[in-house]
Amino acid sequence: MKYFQRLTVRCCLPALLMAVVGTGLFAPIQARAQLQVHDVRIGVDSERTRFVVELSRSTEPKIFGLPDPYRVVIDLPEANFALPADKSEAGGGVIDRMRYGQFQPGTSRLVLDLSGPAKVARNFILPPDGDKPWRLVVDLVATDRDDFITAMRPTAAPRRPAEVPLGLGAGSDDVDVIVLDPGHGGIDPGASGVSGVLEKTMALDYAKEIKRQLEKIGKYTVILTRDRDVFLPLRERVRIARAANADLFLSLHLNANGGSKVRGFSAYTLSEQASDQEAADLAEAENKSDIIGGVDLQRYSTDVASILIDFAQSKTNEQSVAFARDNLVKEVAELSRLSPRPWRAAGFAVLKAPDVPSVLLELGYVTNPAEEELLLHRDYRRQLSSTIVRAIERYFELAREARRT
Ligand SMILES: [Zn+2]
């Protein structure tokens, strides 16, 4: 009897497999293979600008427009971009330039910067033909602002909130919660260094090292706004800090302004009025992250003004300044070169949590070859991180003393 059963199974397995394949039960497994983006092309004629994306398989893109500045956003499932170099610089017709990368887990994004308002006249998918792979074709035609806003409005999709551990920091005096925010990520690379290193990568490396050192002390709960190469809107970073009930929020960046000789560390706090032109320019550059990532800024426009109104006098801002000016800059001065005015203020969108002391750190200039080399060095990363950790320790010691007296 046993023999028969085994025999039956052996005999039937191939047949069974054939049946399963035949019914298409295996199809979902094939469909889950990661989407590959092989190339993009722009074609221009007198009526339209045609944007073509070469893909490894068919997909249903989400396409919408964003004004100020005018952009077309094409969302795809998470994809691997294997485009020939320099494709992002290539514009044509109504397209000035293009960016691409991961937007959120599960979503990859292409952003087309437009020279003016333009809408999608047609879009369709073409199946493989000869040596041509699957192609997404988007035809754009110039239009006016009103038509752009009506025709290209994004349909409201539920946004997946970032995961934040709940209940952290609530009512505990022993455990301080620190949120570290590696700047940029995904579709927004941030600044590029002289050796080609990207700000988003370096900022994440520093955040991980600071987290490691802080956790070793055992007194802190440390949360990263992102722990991999993924895009996060600026307000999402603020939201994470507030949801975690953070006691301190540090946004980590690398600077790229000025020529190859400019170098040094600096710390920034929030103010309505920038402390100087350079700080204003930097805030403008850092705030561009949402534009680069294709974030719909209009959905956020109401909260920003109201938050700023009495911010300058607030207790939170006093604490941010105390950390930046009295702790951080002094600690870093022991190790490293500071920029001529190491503490400044400007309207950084990522620092706008009204109830969390928030400081933006520009760790150094990746456009200065010597400083970039230093910043990339593992020993220096450890040293600079430990000076930042010492400043954090000192800040919380003083805060605890203040609470006791
Ligand atoms: Zn930055």
Side-chain angles (χ1 to χ4, degrees):
M1 193 63 192
K2 252 184 177 158
Y3 174 75
F4 260 106
Q5 271 176 347
R6 267 213 308 268
L7 187 72
T8 314
V9 169
R10 250 207 324 259
C11 285
C12 291
L13 196 58
L16 190 69
L17 273 174
M18 287 305 288
V20 170
V21 173
T23 56
L25 257 174
F26 279 172
I29 297 170
Q30 274 177 342
R32 258 182 267 126
Q34 199 182 29
L35 180 67
Q36 307 285 320
V37 180
H38 300 304
D39 202 355
V40 296
R41 282 177 280 118
I42 295 171
V44 184
D45 66 26
S46 57
E47 273 144 49
R48 56 169 192 211
T49 303
R50 172 163 284 190
F51 184 67
V52 182
V53 187
E54 294 190 352
L55 302 164
S56 58
R57 60 172 163 86
S58 181
T59 184
E60 280 179 38
K62 258 198 249 107
I63 305 174
F64 58 93
L66 297 170
D68 311 317
Y70 294 109
R71 286 154 292 163
V72 167
V73 175
I74 303 169
D75 278 348
L76 303 169
E78 196 160 318
N80 176 39
F81 290 88
L83 303 188
D86 299 334
K87 274 291 175 180
S88 60
E89 299 305 324
V94 297
I95 301 169
D96 272 347
R97 55 168 286 166
M98 178 203 74
R99 291 182 298 274
Y100 57 86
Q102 196 187 25
F103 179 65
Q104 280 179 344
T107 307
S108 286
R109 174 167 282 193
L110 291 141
V111 180
L112 310 177
D113 292 336
L114 304 179
S115 54
K119 67 177 177 182
V120 176
R122 286 201 316 157
N123 74 91
F124 49 91
I125 297 258
L126 290 172
D129 179 15
D131 55 359
K132 292 179 185 145
W134 286 93
R135 283 146 293 153
L136 164 65
V137 180
V138 181
D139 283 344
L140 297 165
V141 292
T143 185
D144 58 35
R145 181 180 176 86
D146 287 348
D147 189 32
F148 176 87
I149 287 170
T150 320
M152 297 294 289
R153 182 181 302 154
T155 48
R159 278 198 315 133
R160 193 191 323 196
E163 282 169 38
V164 176
L166 292 173
L168 287 169
S172 167
D173 270 356
D174 297 332
V175 180
D176 291 305
V177 179
I178 298 158
V179 172
L180 300 174
D181 173 48
H184 313 275
I187 190 171
D188 169 24
S192 302
V194 273
S195 75
V197 69
L198 299 175
E199 178 180 1
K200 65 176 182 177
T201 311
M202 208 189 248
L204 182 57
D205 289 345
Y206 272 85
K208 284 180 174 169
E209 175 60 20
I210 296 168
K211 181 177 195 278
R212 188 186 68 81
Q213 293 191 18
L214 280 170
E215 284 178 341
K216 226 167 83 185
I217 297 169
K219 283 191 297 196
Y220 304 103
T221 298
V222 188
I223 295 165
L224 298 183
T225 55
R226 66 174 179 95
D227 60 4
R228 61 196 188 106
D229 184 17
V230 62
F231 177 81
L232 271 187
L234 295 173
R235 273 129 194 115
E236 185 63 20
R237 300 167 192 260
V238 175
R239 197 194 67 78
I240 291 170
R242 299 192 69 197
N245 202 4
D247 298 288
L248 187 62
F249 172 85
L250 301 181
S251 192
L252 304 172
H253 293 258
L254 286 308
N255 216 330
N257 297 327
S260 63
K261 290 198 173 67
V262 185
R263 63 182 292 175
F265 175 97
S266 45
Y268 291 81
T269 54
L270 180 66
S271 75
E272 207 168 353
Q273 207 67 48
S275 56
D276 55 280
Q277 190 54 44
E278 211 178 312
D281 293 346
L282 181 70
E284 202 192 324
E286 295 293 6
N287 291 348
K288 279 218 175 90
S289 181
D290 282 347
I291 288 172
I292 290 167
V295 173
D296 185 2
L297 295 169
Q298 296 199 318
R299 277 167 54 199
Y300 290 113
S301 57
T302 46
D303 62 334
V304 181
S306 59
I307 283 172
L308 264 177
I309 286 168
D310 47 17
F311 192 86
Q313 281 85 37
S314 74
K315 180 88 183 145
T316 311
N317 198 40
E318 271 174 37
Q319 290 169 325
S320 307
V321 172
F323 175 73
R325 183 190 60 196
D326 305 337
N327 294 289
L328 187 60
V329 162
K330 281 184 187 158
E331 284 292 346
V332 175
E334 308 272 306
L335 168 80
S336 185
R337 203 181 293 198
L338 299 174
S339 74
R341 276 169 295 173
W343 164 63
R344 305 192 223 186
F348 293 91
V350 79
L351 302 181
K352 282 176 182 166
D355 41 9
V356 182
S358 301
V359 177
L360 184 137
L361 283 59
E362 294 283 349
L363 300 171
Y365 285 79
V366 288
T367 35
N368 177 303
E371 190 158 65
E372 188 206 38
E373 200 185 328
L374 198 59
L375 285 161
L376 280 168
H377 206 281
R378 201 179 66 168
D379 291 345
Y380 183 77
R381 182 163 67 232
R382 287 192 174 162
Q383 287 168 358
L384 181 56
S385 297
S386 80
T387 62
I388 293 166
V389 167
R390 270 203 302 280
I392 293 170
E393 284 263 83
R394 181 91 189 111
Y395 170 79
F396 282 116
E397 267 167 35
L398 293 172
R400 270 192 285 270
E401 265 171 39
R403 274 203 294 268
R404 275 199 294 272
T405 52

